[in-house]
Amino acid sequence: MYHVVIAVDEESERARRQARAVADLPRSADEVRATLLHVFTDNPGGASATQVGSVRRAEEILENAGVEVDIAERSGEPAATVLDFAENEAADCICVGGRSRSPAGKAIFGSVSQSIILQSDRPVIVSGSTEK
């Protein structure tokens, strides 16, 4: 079974694109297992990843495509937490969501996806930033 960790933030449309990208992998219904990972950077209310709308939307798409799906949550710095989780779970691949940002915006604010791509020792799927 090919295990993909899907790093999902709060943005529902980006999460949908990520779920579709994984569901579109060859033989996804038979040979792919996905873990939707939501990393909380601040969670004073004690919410669960299953309460995050984007996680629920992505889960729905994967289940409808017949992909085995689990939900996980962690707290911390998103990029490092995703990379640690993928390593601990012996994931085969990480899926991140792309988004349009200016070069200045990336330089000032950084990019979780970019950090994961540059630091990962496993393949990274980047779903598109716009709907086709």
Side-chain angles (χ1 to χ4, degrees), residues 27-105:
R27 301 187 50 85
S28 62
D30 301 325
E31 297 179 9
V32 173
R33 177 171 67 96
T35 299
L36 294 167
L37 174 62
H38 182 75
V39 179
F40 290 97
T41 54
D42 185 30
N43 188 13
S48 166
T50 58
Q51 296 172 304
V52 177
S54 58
V55 173
R56 291 195 314 268
R57 302 305 171 278
E59 178 185 30
E60 187 176 290
I61 289 168
L62 292 164
E63 286 179 343
N64 287 341
V67 176
E68 180 183 332
V69 61
D70 298 309
I71 297 174
E73 61 191 62
R74 296 290 184 273
S75 295
E77 190 280 313
T81 303
V82 169
L83 291 166
D84 288 344
F85 182 86
E87 182 175 335
N88 291 337
E89 294 292 313
D92 297 294
C93 181
I94 299 170
C95 179
V96 296
R99 64 198 225 192
S100 298
R101 293 178 72 175
S102 70

